[in-house]
Amino acid sequence: MPPQDDRNSRLTTTAGAPVADNQNSLTAGDRGPVLLQDWKLIEKLAHQNRERIPERVVHAKGWGAHGMFRITGDISHLTCAKVLQPGAETPMIARFSTVAGEMGAADHERDVRGFALKFYTEEGNWDLVGNNTPVFFVRDPLKFPDFIHTQKRHPRTNLRSATAMWDFWSLSPESLHQVTILFSDRGLPVSPMHMNGYGSHTYSLWNDDGDRVWVKFHFKTRQGHRHYTNAEAEEVVGRTREGYQEALFGTIEEGNYPRWIAQVQVMTEAQAGELPFNPFDVTKVWPHADFPPIEIGVLELNRNPDNYFAEIEQLAFSPSNVVRGIGHSPDRMLQGRIFAYADAHRYRLGTHYEALPVNRPRCPVHHYHKDGAMRFFGNMPNSDAYYEPNSFGGPVEDGSFTDPPLQIEGPAARFDHREENDDFSQPRALFLLFDDGQKARLFANIAAAMRGIPDAIAERQIELFGQVHPDFGAGVCAALDALDPQF
C-alpha cells in the first residue's frame, strides 16, 4: 500500500516518525511475549508514567477561563500602570479553586475559594492572587504551613481532622474573622460566577511623580450572590463532584460570559499611620465608610481553555509579578507569598515555568537566566551577551521603572503580632450584620464542623466566639447541644 499523503492526519511518534500499527504490540509469534525492542510501546507507556505532575499543595482543585479586563474609570492620578489607565483593555486568564481539597475533591465543599488573575500587560504580567474573601486565617507567614497542615490529612489516619482544624483556630484568635465568613452563607458559593473576588492583601499604586497610595482590590460579581446550605451542597455532590467546572465551562460555552465589577479602596500613607489597626494586616478589612470602593473597570471571562492541563493546570500565579505603577506593601503574609508562590512553581513545573505558553508574557522578554532543565527557547539576539554588564549590546536596566522609596523604621526583631491587636471588633461588626436566619445557619454550620472534637478544644473556641459577641458563643453552644445533648 503506498504511503498516505495527508500529513495532518497521520499518526506519528513524538519524534515525528509515522506509526504503521497502533493496535498491536511487537511479539515473538502470535502468542509469544512482547519484545523489548518495541520502542513504540515503550514510548507510550513511559509517557503515560509521566503524565502527572505534583498537584498544588494548596488550591489543587481548580477551574479557569480566559477573558478581558477593561478600565472604565479613571485613577490615572494614582498610578502610571498602563493596565489601569482609562480605556485600557488587557487580555487575562482566571483560575478559581478550593484551598484545602486535593485534585479529586468535590467542588461543592465548604471552603475558601481562590480567585487568581493573570493580566498580560504590555509591560509584563501582573498577577493578582486572591480569594473570595477579603481576609485570611493568619497574618504571619510563619504560621501558614502550620495552618495548611490542619487542612490536610492526619499522618496516621490519612483522614481530614476536625480536631486539628479547631485546635489551631482556637489557639489563633486572628482566625475569627475568616472563620466567621467561612461558616456563614458565603462559605459555599453555588458556582465561581456567583462569588466576589478580593486581592485580600494591601498593595500599592504609584504615579510618575513617585507618589504612593495603599490600595485593596475587589471584584464584585454581576451575576449576584448565590449560596448553598450544607444539605443542598451534599445533594449536589451526590450527583456530581465537578459542579464548578460544569457551571463555568457550560456558561462560557453557551455565550453567557460572566462579569465582575473591579473596584479599589484607596488609603494615603498619612492615613495608614493614623488608624487604630494595622492596615497591612490581612485578617482585617478597611471600613467602606472610611475608604469607599471606587469602581474602575469590568472583568469578563469569554473563552474556555482548549487544553485544561496546558492552560489551567500549568497556569502559575505569583504576587511577585507586578508591573510599573503597582507595588507591594509591608503586609507580612504578602511578603511571604512573594517568595513562596514562585518557588512552588519552580518545583512543580520547572525552572522555566514562565516560558510556558500560558505563563509567557505578551511583551518582549530579555533576561540573563541560563540553562536548567527543560530550557526550550534560544539565546538572546546576541549570544555573546550572556552576562551583565557587558560590552555586546545586551539588555540593560531602565531606571524609569524604579519604585518610589518606602520609609521604614524600627529594630529588626520577632515582634509578637498578637500584642495589642484587636481580633474581635471586626468579626463582631460582621456578626451584627447577619439577620436571625443567617445567624442560625452560622451556628449550625459551625456545630456540624465541630462535632466529635475534644470538649476542651470546643470550649476554648466557644469562648473566643463569646468574646466576639455573647450571642455568638451562646448560639454555637446551643447548636452543639442540639447535635449532642451531652456536650
Side-chain angles (χ1 to χ4, degrees):
M1 178 184 295
Q4 298 181 31
D5 196 34
D6 186 358
R7 299 190 177 186
N8 290 328
S9 62
R10 181 185 296 158
L11 180 66
T12 73
T13 66
T14 55
V19 173
D21 186 341
N22 194 44
Q23 315 305 320
N24 305 290
S25 298
L26 184 64
T27 62
D30 62 346
R31 295 188 180 184
V34 172
L35 301 182
L36 183 61
Q37 69 191 58
D38 190 349
W39 52 272
K40 296 174 186 176
L41 170 64
I42 291 172
E43 178 184 298
K44 290 185 72 173
L45 294 179
H47 193 278
Q48 183 186 35
N49 288 341
R50 293 160 176 82
E51 285 180 354
R52 297 295 176 267
I53 60 176
E55 69 174 37
R56 292 167 170 87
V57 176
V58 288
H59 297 277
K61 184 72 179 288
W63 326 275
H66 299 267
M68 188 67 68
F69 183 41
R70 298 179 175 88
I71 299 299
T72 57
D74 188 353
I75 56 170
S76 58
H77 61 294
L78 300 177
T79 179
C80 54
K82 292 187 177 181
V83 63
L84 297 178
Q85 298 306 304
E89 295 191 357
T90 304
M92 52 77 60
I93 188 168
R95 184 179 184 269
F96 312 101
S97 56
T98 50
V99 173
E102 297 101 340
M103 281 282 288
D107 292 354
H108 286 92
E109 294 181 353
R110 184 172 296 277
D111 197 356
V112 176
R113 265 64 179 172
F115 197 106
L117 310 172
K118 183 183 292 291
F119 303 96
Y120 301 102
T121 89
E122 60 183 278
E123 292 184 335
N125 288 350
W126 170 38
D127 292 355
L128 192 61
V129 196
N131 288 322
N132 71 325
T133 60
V135 295
F136 195 60
F137 297 98
V138 294
R139 64 171 66 96
D140 192 303
L142 198 62
K143 301 312 300 173
F144 183 71
D146 297 300
F147 164 65
I148 292 302
H149 288 167
T150 73
Q151 304 299 298
K152 298 296 184 177
R153 296 178 181 271
H154 189 283
R156 184 163 185 260
T157 67
N158 197 38
L159 298 171
R160 300 277 291 278
S161 172
T163 295
M165 182 170 70
W166 287 106
D167 188 37
F168 182 88
W169 286 339
S170 68
L171 294 168
S172 308
E174 66 270 23
S175 66
L176 279 164
H177 202 169
Q178 179 76 306
V179 167
T180 303
I181 297 172
L182 175 61
F183 289 97
S184 74
D185 290 347
R186 293 201 177 187
L188 241 173
V190 166
S191 80
M193 296 84 73
H194 296 94
M195 65 186 190
N196 290 343
Y198 301 90
S200 300
H201 299 290
T202 298
Y203 290 88
S204 61
L205 298 179
W206 46 279
N207 59 25
D208 284 324
D209 295 326
D211 301 320
R212 177 192 285 110
V213 293
W214 306 116
V215 295
K216 283 186 177 288
F217 292 96
H218 307 285
F219 295 86
K220 302 298 182 67
T221 176
R222 291 189 63 178
Q223 290 69 240
H225 289 282
R226 291 179 57 198
H227 309 93
Y228 282 138
T229 64
N230 282 354
E232 290 170 335
E234 288 172 7
E235 193 274 331
V236 171
V237 173
R239 296 195 317 268
T240 175
R241 300 177 66 81
E242 313 296 337
Y244 272 42
Q245 178 67 19
E246 292 166 358
L248 180 63
F249 186 90
T251 293
I252 294 175
E253 205 72 358
E254 293 166 2
N256 300 318
Y257 302 143
R259 292 184 173 185
W260 288 260
I261 299 297
Q263 300 175 336
V264 293
Q265 288 179 280
V266 179
M267 179 186 297
T268 66
E269 291 184 292
Q271 288 174 314
E274 299 169 353
L275 294 174
F277 64 92
N278 180 357
F280 310 117
D281 179 351
V282 75
T283 70
K284 303 287 195 298
V285 296
W286 295 357
H288 285 196
D290 300 324
F291 304 97
I294 302 168
E295 186 173 317
I296 63 168
V298 178
L299 180 74
E300 178 184 272
L301 299 182
N302 52 30
R303 180 167 65 88
N304 282 315
D306 293 320
N307 184 297
Y308 178 90
F309 181 86
E311 298 169 58
I312 304 301
E313 185 60 23
Q314 292 192 131
L315 179 57
F317 301 92
S318 175
S320 58
N321 286 342
V322 292
V323 294
R324 181 175 185 267
I326 302 173
H328 302 111
S329 81
D331 181 331
R332 291 190 187 190
M333 280 295 294
L334 175 59
Q335 294 287 323
R337 295 175 79 208
I338 288 170
F339 162 75
Y341 274 59
D343 185 61
H345 304 318
R346 293 183 187 105
Y347 157 72
R348 200 176 74 89
L349 299 173
T351 305
H352 302 291
Y353 73 92
E354 287 190 297
L356 294 170
V358 72
N359 299 318
R360 188 169 56 224
R362 307 286 175 87
C363 63
V365 174
H366 305 296
H367 58 69
Y368 290 94
H369 302 325
K370 282 187 81 236
D371 306 340
M374 295 298 291
R375 170 150 183 166
F376 52 89
F377 49 93
N379 296 322
M380 288 184 289
N382 186 346
S383 59
D384 289 327
Y386 58 94
Y387 53 89
E388 201 279 334
N390 62 74
S391 304
F392 303 101
V396 295
E397 62 201 39
D398 184 343
S400 68
F401 287 79
T402 302
D403 289 36
L406 175 64
Q407 182 69 36
I408 58 175
E409 59 183 30
R414 296 187 183 275
F415 295 94
D416 187 346
H417 63 84
R418 291 182 182 139
E419 283 187 1
E420 301 180 4
N421 213 325
D422 179 3
D423 292 316
F424 303 97
S425 293
Q426 290 203 0
R428 181 181 304 123
L430 175 61
F431 177 76
L432 292 174
L433 290 175
F434 295 159
D435 61 30
D436 289 344
Q438 290 171 320
K439 289 177 181 176
R441 290 188 293 275
L442 172 68
F443 302 150
N445 292 338
I446 290 174
M450 293 176 74
R451 192 171 190 176
I453 70 174
D455 289 350
I457 293 175
E459 291 166 1
R460 188 167 60 217
Q461 184 66 52
I462 289 170
E463 183 179 343
L464 289 179
F465 288 143
Q467 291 182 67
V468 172
H469 194 281
D471 293 349
F472 197 165
V476 172
C477 194
L480 275 169
D481 189 59
L483 287 176
D484 183 1
Q486 296 183 344
F487 176 76

